[in-house]
């Protein structure tokens, strides 16, 4: 959720509606963010704070001592069912609720190591074994875990360590003859087999395993950096003028695939997902749902099944001790006590707070001067219509000529040397578009930030923040001892900064996405979808203006954004990015509505202009065709065949009704597929295919959907030839809509490769 939960938004909007018109007018007419914040925060009442605290308590972010046993039992059930991935997640939940140096946390770590071993994640298994031992794993169970450790070491080829582990295990059997039980006899037999395996490995002359190439990441490096923009290639230049604001142009001819920007996020916050808070009264008191927070590091966004939890809360989890300590040092020491409140107030408020916390680590004098300037400096706080440097975030639909003249005044966000870096100065100078937001929206944001500031103050996180990292039982990092700058004594100053960031994010937030597998893990041919993983701010990427048919594409690895040319870009041409509404995914009317409501501009890119000129026709992927001659139908309420001799006509509402019925039939077939009822699903899908061909254009999305489902059905039945044939038809629809170089095309080609591989086909 980007914005606060609906209950809080409704509450604040009702409060706004009950304000006297004079107060509403004062806030609406305020010219500076400081005025908006100060007027709004003065209206925050104790009953408002109490209501917000009640909402926050719905999020279980504290450590419940009763939870580890529950989650460990749930994990054991999954383990017995051989669902090791699910077992790992439950054990991780148990770890996150456990206190350090307790039997609870040691048992959860040990059980998770067993699940990781079954998943083949031997390095992660070894780390969990170490954690279990550090936290006091019971002596009576040590031999079982030591055997697992030795098996990991043998499998990994770390033979010297494996030999020592086996010797230690043999010593424990010798020292404790009471272990002569049926269970210990099984362990001793396993140990004997492991010793034989170790001997075999030692007798083999093995070449060291080749280090896997990280060509993908290495290739991400910029070959030659720009002196003006260190995160960009030298083939990119930053320009500005009174109309466009800031924008990027090519300094030379750029080829498709060339890396233009490689930028680490200044700030990022893991997206908690769209799951609502767990209300009391549900079947289980503890949350058994799997979210991004269970699978990804809350700092670097690396996917991991072996999370390391914060010692103070159950929500924040990390991929390593290092990430935990860095997060604590940079921001989590402040955020830890207000986790439920941050989930209630939404991701944008969380990003705003974290941005302000990160500002403490830049030269404090400059940051404080900049922040204090927002209170009294009218030059900085001018309404954007009066600011000559305002950025208009829209694509003007043409090339920026080589001889374009840039304004010679300093470019906002650059330092005194004209360098635009990934720092707080650049982030602060992203425009909040204050005058374009509605007064009601600004009031919701301001009151939310004010409530957060009050809570931080109450928690004594401002004056007396405990900067010692939570106890983990593991070796401390130097970061724990490093001095962490305190928040500004004047909390109102930081409140104004947070409000600015919160308003900035509507136009400047970037969704970090990843590809996740959908459907059952047992499916031979997997499907995937793009999901939002986190919300971040990339100061350089934010400089790119929009086009519905851009000349770049953006990909992510961890918190790093890579902007590459998706087509040839000529010298002097503007470098353009799509803000979401792409011509291959959305009709022009919907695109314009989306861009106008979120980004406050009307797009005039060539794609929009060309589509507007095609009167009477919609997007190709939503088109109907003539039942007689298959020619596309044109028109508004009544559609007519474009083939003059035919002149067939039909009402749109009739076609819409047929399409709705067809989609219901497809939905029924998909349910049958999920249940494995192929005998009923295939005939139903073939009927849908025949019906679709009667009135839908060849490249209609539904046509591709039917073919894709048929491909899945035949793959499940083992008929690889038919599966490949239908998948190739689906692939043609995807190519016509999204283009041969699109991500969607890549997904379909990967599925086709799986079909060919699994069926050993040689189809052309």
């Amino acid at each position: 959720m980007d914005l606060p939960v609906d209950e809080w938004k409704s509450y604040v909007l009702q409060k706004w509606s009950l304000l006297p018109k004079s107060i509403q007018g004062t806030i609406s007419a305020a010219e500076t963010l400081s005025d908006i914040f100060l007027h709004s925060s003065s209206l925050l009442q104790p009953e408002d704070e109490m209501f917000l605290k009640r909402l926050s308590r719905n999020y279980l972010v504290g450590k419940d001592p009763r939870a580890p046993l529950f989650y460990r039992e749930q994990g054991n059930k999954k383990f017995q069912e051989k669902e090791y991935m699910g077992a790992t997640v439950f054990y991780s939940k148990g770890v996150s609720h456990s206190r350090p140096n307790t039997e609870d946390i040691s048992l959860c770590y040990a059980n998770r190591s067993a699940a990781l071993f079954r998943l083949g994640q031997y390095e992660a298994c070894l780390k969990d074994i170490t954690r279990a031992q550090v936290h006091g794993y019971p002596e009576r169970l040590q031999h079982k875990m030591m055997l697992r450790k030795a098996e990991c070491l043998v499998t990994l080829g770390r033979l010297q360590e494996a030999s020592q582990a086996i010797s230690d295990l043999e010593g424990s059997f010798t020292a404790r003859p009471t272990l002569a039980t049926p269970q210990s006899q099984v362990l001793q037999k396993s140990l004997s087999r492991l010793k034989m395996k170790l001997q075999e490995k030692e007798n083999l002359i093995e070449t060291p395993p080749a280090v896997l190439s990280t060509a993908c990441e290495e290739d991400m490096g910029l070959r030659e950096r720009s002196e003006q923009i260190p995160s960009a290639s030298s083939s990119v230049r930053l320009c500005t003028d009174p109309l466009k604001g800031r924008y990027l142009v090519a300094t030379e001819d750029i080829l498709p695939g060339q890396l233009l920007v490689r930028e680490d996020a200044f700030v990022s916050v893991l997206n908690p997902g769209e799951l609502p808070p767990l209300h009391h009264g549900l079947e289980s008191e503890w949350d058994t749902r799997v979210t991004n927070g269970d699978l990804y590091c809350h700092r670097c966004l690396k996917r991991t099944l072996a999370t390391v939890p914060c010692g103070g809360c159950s929500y924040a989890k990390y991929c390593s001790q290092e990430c935990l300590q860095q997060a604590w040092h940079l921001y989590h020491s402040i955020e830890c006590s207000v986790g439920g409140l941050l989930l209630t107030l939404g991701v944008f408020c969380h990003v705003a707070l974290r941005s302000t916390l990160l500002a403490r680590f830049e030269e404090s004098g400059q940051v404080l001067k900049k922040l204090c300037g927002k209170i009294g400096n009218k030059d900085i706080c001018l309404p954007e219509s009066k600011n000559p440097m305002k950025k208009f975030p829209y694509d003007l639909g043409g090339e920026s000529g080589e001889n374009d003249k840039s304004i010679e005044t300093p470019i906002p966000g650059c330092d005194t040397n004209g360098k635009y870096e990934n720092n707080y100065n650049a982030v602060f100078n992203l425009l909040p578009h204050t005058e374009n937001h509605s007064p009601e929206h600004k009031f919701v944001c301001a009151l939310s930030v004010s409530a957060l500031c009050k809570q931080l103050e109450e928690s004594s996180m401002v004056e007396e923040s405990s900067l010692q990292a939570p106890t983990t039982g593991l070796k401390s990092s130097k970061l724990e001892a490093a001095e962490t700058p305190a928040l500004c004594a004047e909390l109102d100053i930081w409140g104004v900064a947070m409000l600015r960031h919160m308003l900035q994010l509507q136009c400047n937030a970037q969704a970090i996405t990843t590809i996740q597998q959908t459907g059952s893990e047992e499916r031979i041919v997997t499907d995937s979808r793009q999901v939002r993983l986190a919300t971040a701010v990339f100061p350089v990427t934010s400089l790119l203006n929009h086009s519905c048919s851009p000349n770049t594409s953006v990909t992510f690895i961890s918190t790093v954004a890579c902007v590459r040319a998706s087509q040839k870009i000529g010298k002097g041409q503007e470098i353009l990015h799509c803000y979401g509404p792409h011509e291959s995914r959305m009709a022009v009317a919907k695109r314009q509505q989306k861009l106008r409501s979120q980004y406050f501009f009307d797009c005039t890119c060539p794609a929009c202009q060309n589509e507007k000129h095609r009167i009477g026709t919609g997007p190709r992927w939503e088109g109907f065709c003539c039942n007689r001659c298959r020619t596309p139908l044109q028109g508004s309420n009544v559609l007519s065949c474009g083939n003059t001799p035919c002149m067939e006509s039909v009402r749109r509402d009739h076609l819409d009704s047929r399409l709705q019925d067809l989609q219901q039939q497809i939905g029924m077939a998909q349910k049958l597929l999920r249940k494995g009822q192929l005998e009923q699903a295939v005939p139903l899908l073939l009927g849908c295919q025949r019906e679709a061909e009667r009135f839908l254009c060849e490249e209609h999305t539904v046509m591709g959907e039917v073919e894709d489902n048929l491909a899945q059905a035949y793959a499940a039945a083992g008929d690889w030839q038919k599966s490949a044939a239908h998948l190739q038809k689906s692939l043609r629809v995807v190519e016509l809509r999204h283009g041969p170089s699109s991500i969607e095309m890549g997904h379909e080609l990967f599925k086709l490769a799986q079909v060919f591989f699994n069926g050993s086909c040689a189809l052309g």
Side-chain angles (χ1 to χ4, degrees):
M1 298 178 294
D2 290 334
L3 298 174
V5 296
D6 291 339
E7 294 93 332
W8 175 246
K9 281 191 293 185
S10 299
Y11 180 91
V12 177
L13 290 175
Q14 183 181 20
K15 183 181 180 74
W16 169 266
S17 67
L18 297 175
L19 291 176
K21 296 297 182 183
S22 58
I23 296 179
Q24 288 185 2
T26 299
I27 296 174
S28 301
E31 291 191 340
T32 67
L33 285 171
S34 59
D35 288 341
I36 295 171
F37 178 75
L38 294 174
H39 285 306
S40 300
S41 61
S42 67
L43 300 172
L44 184 69
Q45 300 298 316
E47 57 266 27
D48 305 332
E49 297 178 64
M50 290 302 300
F51 178 77
L52 187 56
K53 287 179 181 179
R54 285 199 298 272
L55 293 177
S56 301
R57 283 195 286 268
N58 288 324
Y59 292 95
L60 306 178
V61 295
K63 290 186 182 291
D64 190 329
R66 301 168 299 160
L69 176 60
F70 168 80
Y71 285 124
R72 196 165 71 247
E73 289 175 345
Q74 294 297 313
N76 292 343
K77 290 178 184 177
K78 291 287 184 181
F79 193 95
Q80 291 166 4
E81 295 166 359
K82 298 185 178 180
E83 293 185 23
Y84 302 119
M85 188 84 73
T88 303
V89 172
F90 279 124
Y91 293 140
S92 294
K93 286 178 179 289
V95 168
S96 68
H97 278 277
S98 301
R99 292 292 177 183
N101 303 315
T102 61
E103 185 170 297
D104 277 335
I105 195 169
S106 68
L107 290 173
C108 286
Y109 273 133
N111 287 11
R112 192 172 74 179
S113 75
L116 291 168
F117 181 83
R118 296 300 180 95
L119 291 169
Q121 297 195 19
Y122 303 115
E123 293 285 2
C125 175
L126 287 172
K127 290 179 180 178
D128 266 6
I129 289 172
T130 301
R131 291 172 182 134
Q133 291 173 327
V134 166
H135 287 285
Y137 189 64
E139 186 66 28
R140 66 184 186 277
L141 303 174
Q142 283 282 351
H143 54 278
K144 189 175 180 180
M145 197 168 63
M146 288 171 67
L147 178 64
R148 188 180 307 132
K149 177 180 179 180
E151 288 182 291
C152 286
L153 292 170
V154 170
T155 305
L156 292 170
R158 293 159 59 176
L159 304 185
Q160 188 173 352
E161 295 174 78
S163 179
Q164 182 61 52
I166 290 173
S167 297
D168 293 342
L169 188 54
E170 286 179 320
S172 70
F173 279 112
T174 304
R176 298 182 63 189
T178 54
L179 290 176
T181 63
Q183 185 181 7
S184 70
Q185 291 173 5
V186 172
L187 287 171
Q188 287 177 334
K189 287 181 181 180
S190 299
L191 181 58
S192 298
R193 286 195 298 269
L194 185 59
K195 288 174 67 176
M196 292 177 60
K197 184 178 178 181
L198 174 62
Q199 188 65 44
E200 290 172 1
K201 285 225 172 194
E202 287 176 336
N203 292 335
L204 290 174
I205 302 175
E206 296 183 344
T207 56
V211 178
L212 294 176
S213 171
T214 55
C216 179
E217 293 190 26
E218 290 174 359
D219 186 52
M220 288 173 55
L222 296 165
R223 282 178 285 183
E224 189 176 347
R225 293 183 182 273
S226 165
E227 293 184 3
Q228 185 188 26
I229 314 171
S231 298
S233 161
S234 58
S235 57
V236 172
R237 178 166 58 95
L238 173 59
C239 300
T240 184
D241 67 38
L243 292 178
K244 283 189 179 182
R246 296 171 294 179
Y247 61 101
L248 300 180
V249 298
T251 60
E252 60 186 15
D253 290 341
I254 296 172
L255 297 176
Q258 187 171 332
L259 182 62
L260 305 179
V261 176
R262 185 181 188 278
E263 179 183 23
D264 200 352
F266 174 80
V267 61
S268 63
V269 170
L270 188 72
N271 182 30
E274 299 303 321
L275 293 175
L278 190 69
H279 294 285
H280 300 292
L282 295 181
E283 181 181 350
S284 170
E285 189 175 351
W286 297 289
D287 198 349
T288 58
R289 302 168 295 185
V290 180
T291 67
N292 287 340
D294 298 311
L295 302 173
Y296 294 90
C297 176
H298 285 224
R299 180 184 173 273
C300 72
L301 306 183
K302 175 184 175 183
R303 184 178 174 88
T304 178
L305 289 174
T307 54
V308 180
C310 168
C313 68
S314 64
Y315 177 70
K317 307 178 187 74
Y318 305 94
C319 67
S320 65
Q321 182 69 13
E322 291 71 28
C323 269
L324 183 154
Q325 290 167 339
Q326 290 177 23
W328 181 265
H329 176 64
L330 294 172
Y331 46 78
H332 193 62
S333 59
I334 303 293
E335 297 176 354
C336 186
S337 66
V338 291
L341 180 60
L342 290 171
L343 289 170
T344 305
L345 294 178
V347 172
F348 279 5
C349 196
H350 196 164
V351 173
L353 171 62
R354 190 169 291 182
S355 298
T356 312
L357 294 175
L358 291 172
R360 300 174 298 161
F361 294 89
E362 297 191 13
E363 192 171 338
S364 58
Q366 291 184 1
V367 173
L368 288 175
K369 182 178 178 182
K370 191 179 303 177
L371 289 171
C372 292
K374 298 301 153 273
I375 300 294
N377 189 330
K378 286 290 181 180
D379 292 333
I380 298 177
C381 290
L382 279 175
E384 291 163 36
S385 61
K386 299 177 184 178
N387 189 335
M389 300 307 297
K390 174 181 177 181
K391 176 182 177 182
F392 288 78
Y394 53 77
D395 164 38
L396 297 182
E399 297 185 3
S400 298
E402 189 176 348
N403 298 319
D404 281 357
K405 294 184 179 179
S406 299
I407 294 178
E408 295 183 359
T409 53
I411 298 178
C414 291
D415 61 19
T416 55
N417 297 318
K419 185 176 289 188
Y420 188 91
E421 298 190 87
N422 185 325
N423 57 20
Y424 187 71
N425 182 42
V427 171
F428 198 88
N429 279 279
L430 297 174
L431 290 184
H433 297 279
T434 309
E435 65 175 11
N436 291 316
H437 293 285
S438 69
E440 294 86 350
H441 177 72
K442 287 183 281 193
F443 184 67
V444 169
C445 292
L447 212 65
S448 298
V449 169
S450 178
L452 176 58
C453 289
K454 285 288 185 70
Q455 183 60 44
L456 289 172
E457 197 169 31
E458 283 182 15
S459 302
S460 300
M461 299 300 286
V462 178
E463 293 87 5
E464 301 176 7
S465 173
S466 174
L467 298 175
Q468 182 181 355
T471 304
T472 59
L474 298 179
K475 185 177 179 181
S476 297
S477 163
K478 292 180 181 178
L479 282 175
E480 289 190 38
E483 183 179 352
T484 303
L487 280 174
C488 179
E490 295 292 335
L491 203 57
D492 284 346
I493 296 176
W494 294 93
V496 174
M498 281 188 269
L499 176 58
R500 179 181 180 88
H501 295 318
M502 199 169 178
L503 295 179
Q504 284 174 337
L505 289 168
Q506 180 164 320
C507 294
N508 292 288
Q510 175 71 54
I512 295 180
T513 58
T514 188
I515 303 299
Q516 286 184 354
Q517 178 181 323
T518 59
S520 171
E521 295 178 12
E522 286 75 30
R523 279 173 50 179
I524 298 174
V525 179
T526 60
D527 205 349
S528 58
R529 64 190 178 99
Q530 191 176 46
V531 296
R532 176 178 168 185
L533 180 59
T535 299
V537 176
F538 296 92
V540 177
T541 306
S542 293
L543 296 174
L544 295 171
N545 279 332
H546 169 80
S547 172
C548 298
S549 180
N551 52 22
T552 63
S553 63
V554 181
T555 56
F556 303 94
I557 293 184
S558 185
T559 57
V560 176
C562 294
V563 181
R564 293 183 182 273
S566 58
Q567 57 186 260
K568 185 177 180 180
I569 303 175
K571 181 179 179 180
Q573 187 176 348
E574 185 171 1
I575 298 168
L576 302 166
H577 170 46
C578 179
Y579 290 179
H582 195 282
E583 66 165 340
S584 67
R585 299 181 183 91
M586 198 178 293
V588 63
K590 293 180 180 178
R591 296 202 306 269
Q592 292 286 357
Q593 181 183 11
K594 171 75 172 175
L595 292 167
R596 193 178 298 116
S597 62
Q598 182 173 348
Y599 297 98
F600 313 119
F601 69 89
D602 293 313
C603 184
T604 58
C605 74
C608 287
Q609 295 299 314
N610 294 338
E611 199 168 329
K612 286 178 180 178
H613 293 155
R614 294 197 297 267
I615 301 174
T617 63
R620 306 181 303 277
W621 61 88
E622 295 179 0
F624 299 107
C625 70
C626 176
N627 189 33
R628 293 181 180 178
C629 63
R630 299 288 299 163
T631 301
L633 298 176
Q634 301 177 7
S636 181
N637 294 327
V638 177
L639 305 181
S640 302
C641 179
N643 186 6
T644 306
C646 182
M647 295 302 293
E648 179 80 3
S649 63
V650 62
R651 290 187 60 83
R652 179 178 290 277
D653 56 6
H654 173 67
L655 294 173
D656 288 338
S657 178
R658 286 182 68 181
L659 178 59
Q660 187 175 1
D661 292 342
L662 176 60
Q663 289 172 323
Q664 289 178 351
Q665 293 294 308
I666 295 171
M668 291 173 59
Q670 289 172 336
K671 289 181 180 178
L672 293 171
L673 273 179
R674 287 193 290 271
K675 294 178 181 178
Q677 299 175 1
L678 303 180
E679 293 182 358
Q680 296 98 319
V682 171
L684 184 55
L685 284 170
L686 290 173
C688 292
Q689 182 191 49
R690 290 189 294 270
E691 172 64 10
E693 289 172 346
R694 293 190 181 102
F695 72 105
L696 297 181
C697 286
E698 182 183 1
E699 53 199 281
H700 198 288
T701 302
V702 173
M703 293 283 285
E705 185 180 1
V706 172
E707 298 295 344
D708 189 75
N709 283 306
L710 280 167
Q712 290 182 31
Y714 284 119
D719 193 334
W720 303 106
Q721 189 169 358
K722 285 186 178 179
S723 177
H726 285 288
L727 199 52
Q728 286 172 320
K729 290 181 180 179
S730 170
L731 197 143
R732 283 195 290 272
V733 174
V734 172
E735 183 176 8
L736 286 168
R737 177 176 177 180
H738 297 288
S741 303
S742 63
I743 293 176
E744 291 82 1
M745 190 68 172
H747 294 169
E748 292 300 303
L749 287 170
F750 180 68
K751 285 195 288 186
L752 185 61
Q754 288 178 302
V755 169
F756 286 154
F757 178 80
N758 286 292
S760 301
C761 295
L763 299 178

